[in-house]
Amino acid sequence: MHSLEDKVVIISGAVGGLGEAFARAILDAGGSVMLTDVSQEGLDRLAAELGDRVHTRTLDVREEEDWVRAVDAAVARFGKVTGLINNAGVTTSRCLLEEETAEQFMGIIGVNLLGVHLGMRVVIPHLRANGGGSIVNISSGAGMMGIAKTGGYAAAKWGVRGITKVAAVELGKDAIRVNSVHPGIIETNMTSRLGVSSEPGGLPSAPAGRAGVPSEVAGLAAFLLSDAASYISGAEMTADGAWTAGPVPA
Ligand SMILES: NC(=O)c1ccc[n+]([C@@H]2O[C@H](COP(=O)([O-])OP(=O)(O)OC[C@H]3O[C@@H](n4cnc5c(N)ncnc54)[C@H](O)[C@@H]3O)[C@@H](O)[C@H]2O)c1
């Protein structure tokens, strides 16, 4: 595993399946984490379980002031911020786009796209002041192809993919790298109603034949946060068992 010693990473949606796995991977590599989520109860559980190099703050990603408070708390506790994982998300409304109301659509855009914008907006000056850093924006396979009944979710995740490239271009001169990660179907609360599993045969539509587990995405994010990824920016990287690469051969 690549070292993350001296790295301080802010994670949004840290209480969820992927968020917790990101936290554990960063801690395992020697880094420190500022865990944020709307769930105070979940943050308290993680703080009790994960030890010293962990600090927590409740944060709604749609609220810029929450971001400012969380970043200030991270700097007060750890002295700096070197990375951000924009991970918080809500799922699709699971209806055809002609049935998806403006309220449903904008609700998803608010968390999954505006939240990413605000996180970058608030964290970027801190990374710049520190001489650079790494931002990992969690998109989705739904941000790489068209999947029925994912309208607002897909719009947000394609948006995350696009804004990631804009940020990478704008921030290259500041040694701030920005990449998007596109998980396939991963076993978490978000996918618990889909009837898929990470056991062999648990997802026949993926060439890997199964869903993924959160640690199989976390290693990629940890790599992108590390100095081993020093020339990787503006990239879109999948962790999906080849789900977006093409259909399973007949
Ligand atoms: N699980 C998958 O198959 C999968 C696939 C592709 C992409 N993703 C993306 O990965 C990310 C994490 O998903 P997950 O599977 O861990 O889901 P999850 O439901 O387990 O966790 C999501 C977390 O986000 C938090 N959250 C929701 N709204 C918030 C807000 N307004 N502000 C702050 N936090 C908020 C929730 O409290 C929760 O802890 C999401 O962006 C999701 O779209 C997941």
Side-chain angles (χ1 to χ4, degrees):
M1 182 177 294
H2 302 286
S3 173
L4 292 174
E5 269 174 41
D6 296 329
K7 305 294 189 203
V8 178
V9 181
I10 301 180
I11 305 173
S12 69
V15 170
L18 282 168
E20 180 174 339
F22 294 143
R24 289 182 185 276
I26 293 164
L27 291 167
D28 286 350
S32 301
V33 285
M34 166 57 92
L35 306 183
T36 70
D37 202 288
V38 286
S39 167
Q40 176 75 60
E41 193 185 339
L43 289 171
D44 290 346
R45 175 184 65 80
L46 289 177
E49 275 179 28
L50 296 180
D52 285 352
R53 284 177 281 120
V54 176
H55 202 38
T56 66
R57 270 287 181 287
T58 51
L59 180 161
D60 185 325
V61 291
R62 298 165 293 186
E63 301 295 336
E64 189 160 8
E65 277 309 306
D66 284 8
W67 277 107
V68 172
R69 275 194 288 271
V71 174
D72 287 350
V75 172
R77 168 70 184 268
F78 299 115
K80 62 182 177 181
V81 173
T82 70
L84 166 67
I85 305 182
N86 268 315
N87 166 70
V90 291
T91 191
T92 155
S93 9
R94 291 198 179 86
C95 56
L96 296 172
L97 65 87
E98 66 202 81
E99 294 161 354
E100 189 170 33
T101 65
E103 191 182 5
Q104 287 174 315
F105 185 91
M106 291 310 293
I108 295 170
I109 293 286
V111 179
N112 293 10
L113 183 55
L114 175 64
V116 170
H117 168 68
L118 292 177
M120 291 201 289
R121 200 173 125 71
V122 173
V123 169
I124 284 166
H126 292 268
L127 300 182
R128 189 182 284 121
N130 200 43
S134 172
I135 298 173
V136 177
N137 292 327
I138 305 303
S139 177
S140 170
M144 305 202 85
M145 57 184 181
I147 303 172
K149 300 189 178 179
T150 67
Y153 185 81
K157 293 303 188 181
W158 279 80
V160 169
R161 182 180 174 191
I163 201 173
T164 295
K165 294 197 191 296
V166 172
V169 169
E170 291 183 357
L171 299 170
K173 65 180 185 329
D174 298 314
I176 299 171
R177 298 180 294 99
V178 193
N179 295 287
S180 58
V181 163
H182 301 253
I185 296 180
I186 311 297
E187 267 184 346
T188 69
N189 280 343
M190 189 174 276
T191 54
S192 58
R193 285 184 289 170
L194 299 182
V196 300
S197 104
S198 59
E199 297 299 316
L203 181 63
S205 64
R210 62 172 179 85
V213 294
S215 61
E216 293 178 301
V217 184
L220 173 57
F223 165 68
L224 290 170
L225 292 165
S226 78
D227 294 339
S230 56
Y231 203 54
I232 301 177
S233 191
E236 48 200 43
M237 297 198 169
T238 57
D240 68 357
W243 185 52
T244 52
V248 177

